Amino acid sequence: MKKILLICGLLITLASCDKNLSSLNIDSKNPVNVPSATVFSNAQLNLANNLATPNVNVNIWRMIAQYWTETTYTDEANYDLSTRPIPQTWWHNMYRDVLKNFEEAKQLIAKDVPDANVKKNQLAIAEIMEVVSYYYIVTTYGDVPYSESLDFNIVQPKFDDAKTVYDALIARLDAAISNLNTSAKSFDGADLLFGGDVTSWKKFANSFKLRMGILIADSDPAKSKTVIESAAPGAFKSNSDNADFPFLSAPPNTNPVWVNLVQSGRKDFVAANTLVNAMKAVNDPRIPLYFTKDAAGGYTGGIYGDNNNYATFSKPSETIQEPDFPGLFMSYSEVEFILAEAVERGMNVGGTAKDHYDKAITASITEWGGSAAEATAYLAQPSVAYTTAAGTYKQKIGTQKWISLFEHGLEAWADWRRLDYPQLAAPPSALSVIPLRYFYPVSEQNLNGANVATAVAKLPGGKDVVGVKLWFDKF
């Protein structure tokens, strides 16, 4: 009997050992099965980091828009996109870290989410995020991989026509909006942008649709009008609707500006004189909200593109450098600027251009912590008031919108390209004109050369250069 018990005990022990040994083959840090919500959250965070970071290997739009400039190393402010492979890093970050994750999340949602209404909302929200991500890619490069880009079996995806891609994105956004059910749940806390609130997603999607519509106002006015008029009623109505990404106060998910300026201890950036001078000329109350005081107790910007002494000039404000300062996806202020322009272009969105312009500026000032009284005083100045400010509506709206988009250099760059205001100039030492697009990544040229060559051949002059206008930039 004792022998039987001993043998049984040994068998149980061996079985247990075998099970424990097998578990050693499982990489707990790289799980095989990941919840769809986790993949979605990760994609959102990656996109937010890409848009917010001032890391010169990834995002230099604060400099291209001439909000910030550099101190010791001035390559990026002079449009050197090659020494650091910036177009390649942006391309990889967006396709690999953002779009691939959103697409994988959609596939997991389709399989794993049991509630049909929740599933439909989650798929619609992931679809909206894909549209947003592709928007930033196609408006940066022009023709890009789209129809074959997320097929894991295709290693050399074709490049699709940029306008065709853009039209397809608008159609996808329309479908996603119609699929949102505000009576049902979505991601709950796994949605880092709106906490799963479907009503907020519907407002954001319509607001982003406005952005997409106004971008093509010169290249396709009829379509622009249709898109904007259908989106306007459902867009943001106040600053409380803003799509602000909530970074955390402690690492690792902190504000990338804090990571790159404070945590790293680097002193690479100061305010650009281009923006500071423009704001000082109109007594803009946002100057102390955007920047610190300079060494003399006032506000001055370093010469854009030049070597600038860090201690001398104003820097990004302490507020912007807080670890939990949110990343901006879109604001109510931007919506009102779009509506002001839409009125000037003869679109039926209600109100007057002046009303929307005033609301846009007021929203921007109060969003940053200024008061309504400051906004009123600012708008009362003849150089700011819509009826007396200099220039065409493109100049008035373009200049004030540029100031308000301070923390969203990528969108400011898009607006500047199509409106041509404010009138920015490349620094004397620049390697090129102010970029109108990014050239294609070296990695893509090496690994997908034939398709890149086809895309380049379609560019004006058949050259892959930054001075070529994209399809939406007509004037």
Side-chain angles (χ1 to χ4, degrees):
M1 183 66 180
K2 289 182 178 179
K3 287 183 178 180
I4 294 172
L5 290 173
L6 179 60
I7 292 169
C8 289
L10 287 170
L11 290 172
I12 292 170
T13 302
L14 288 170
S16 176
C17 287
D18 181 64
K19 183 178 180 181
N20 290 336
L21 288 171
S22 298
S23 68
L24 295 177
N25 294 322
I26 299 174
D27 184 353
S28 60
K29 294 184 178 180
N30 294 285
V32 175
N33 297 311
V34 181
S36 57
T38 302
V39 178
F40 176 80
S41 299
N42 185 58
Q44 275 190 320
L45 177 62
N46 289 341
L47 178 56
N49 281 329
N50 287 344
L51 294 176
T53 185
N55 187 309
V56 291
N57 295 294
V58 181
N59 179 345
I60 64 168
W61 284 292
R62 288 182 180 89
M63 284 179 286
I64 291 180
Q66 299 193 11
Y67 293 149
W68 295 11
T69 192
E70 293 173 293
T71 54
T72 306
Y73 308 104
T74 63
D75 293 349
E76 292 74 32
N78 284 285
Y79 318 132
D80 180 351
L81 304 181
S82 299
T83 300
R84 302 175 189 271
I86 298 167
Q88 180 166 301
T89 305
W90 181 254
W91 180 283
H92 289 173
N93 284 5
M94 292 300 292
Y95 275 113
R96 178 195 62 208
D97 301 337
V98 177
L99 279 167
K100 288 284 189 183
N101 277 295
F102 281 131
E103 185 66 16
E104 179 67 16
K106 284 165 60 177
Q107 293 175 14
L108 292 171
I109 290 165
K111 293 189 299 182
D112 299 343
V113 179
D115 186 293
N117 290 322
V118 173
K119 177 184 293 188
K120 192 173 183 179
N121 275 340
Q122 289 188 358
L123 289 171
I125 290 169
E127 182 78 347
I128 292 166
M129 285 278 82
E130 277 198 10
V131 169
V132 170
S133 304
Y134 272 120
Y135 167 88
Y136 291 123
I137 296 171
V138 74
T139 57
T140 298
Y141 300 94
D143 290 6
V144 292
Y146 174 70
S147 59
E148 297 179 350
S149 64
L150 301 182
D151 188 330
F152 291 86
N153 298 311
I154 299 176
V155 295
Q156 293 179 315
K158 67 177 182 180
F159 281 54
D160 294 288
D161 174 73
K163 184 183 185 305
T164 303
V165 171
Y166 202 82
D167 290 345
L169 292 175
I170 292 173
R172 287 175 64 178
L173 190 58
D174 279 336
I177 292 170
S178 67
N179 283 335
L180 289 173
N181 179 359
T182 56
S183 299
K185 291 185 176 182
S186 64
F187 287 99
D188 295 328
D191 167 21
L192 304 180
L193 188 57
F194 291 119
D197 185 83
V198 180
T199 298
S200 294
W201 274 104
K202 203 156 194 172
K203 290 179 182 178
F204 171 63
N206 276 292
S207 300
F208 201 87
K209 186 177 170 183
L210 285 178
R211 178 188 283 178
M212 295 189 74
I214 204 65
L215 188 83
I216 57 173
D218 287 329
S219 62
D220 193 344
K223 188 175 186 68
S224 173
K225 185 175 189 293
T226 300
V227 169
I228 287 173
E229 289 180 353
S230 64
F236 293 160
K237 296 296 186 291
S238 72
N239 280 340
S240 63
D241 293 328
N242 287 355
D244 289 326
F245 189 88
F247 291 113
L248 304 181
S249 59
N253 298 319
T254 46
N255 168 22
V257 176
W258 177 82
V259 172
N260 284 269
L261 271 60
V262 179
Q263 187 182 47
S264 69
R266 298 184 67 88
K267 298 181 179 180
D268 295 333
F269 306 107
V270 294
N273 63 335
T274 318
L275 177 60
V276 174
N277 292 349
M279 296 179 78
K280 287 169 68 175
V282 290
N283 304 302
D284 197 309
R286 288 165 289 191
I287 289 182
L289 307 174
Y290 285 9
F291 301 114
T292 65
K293 289 186 176 180
D294 59 24
Y299 296 95
T300 54
I303 298 173
Y304 181 76
D306 204 352
N307 291 104
N308 295 287
N309 178 28
Y310 182 81
T312 302
F313 300 103
S314 298
K315 272 77 73 174
S317 71
E318 293 180 0
T319 298
I320 293 169
Q321 297 187 53
E322 289 293 327
D324 60 350
F325 184 75
L328 176 65
F329 274 55
M330 192 164 184
S331 69
Y332 166 60
S333 174
E334 183 184 345
V335 165
E336 287 293 350
F337 276 121
I338 293 169
L339 295 178
E341 186 178 341
V343 171
E344 288 284 11
R345 291 178 179 273
M347 300 179 192
N348 299 314
V349 295
T352 66
K354 177 186 180 301
D355 288 343
H356 291 300
Y357 173 89
D358 289 354
K359 288 178 181 178
I361 291 173
T362 300
S364 177
I365 291 172
T366 55
E367 175 192 2
W368 277 91
S371 67
E374 287 176 319
T376 300
Y378 180 67
L379 285 163
Q381 299 177 98
S383 56
V384 177
Y386 196 73
T387 54
T388 55
T392 64
Y393 76 85
K394 287 189 174 184
Q395 180 175 346
K396 297 175 188 181
I397 294 171
T399 300
Q400 287 297 326
K401 191 176 181 185
W402 170 68
I403 295 173
S404 75
L405 285 171
F406 174 58
E407 264 301 282
H408 205 336
L410 179 51
E411 196 54 37
W413 180 48
D415 267 332
W416 171 79
R417 284 180 287 166
R418 67 181 187 83
L419 292 174
D420 298 313
Y421 288 102
Q423 294 181 324
L424 304 178
S429 53
L431 300 186
S432 70
V433 298
I434 300 175
L436 303 176
R437 62 179 290 273
Y438 274 3
F439 50 75
Y440 293 120
V442 173
S443 59
E444 198 70 12
Q445 295 175 34
N446 290 335
L447 300 174
N448 195 12
N451 286 316
V452 171
T454 300
V456 171
K458 290 175 58 183
L459 292 170
K463 294 183 179 180
D464 187 12
V465 294
V466 301
V468 173
K469 289 187 176 185
L470 298 184
W471 85 101
F472 62 84
D473 185 4
K474 288 296 183 183
F475 302 108

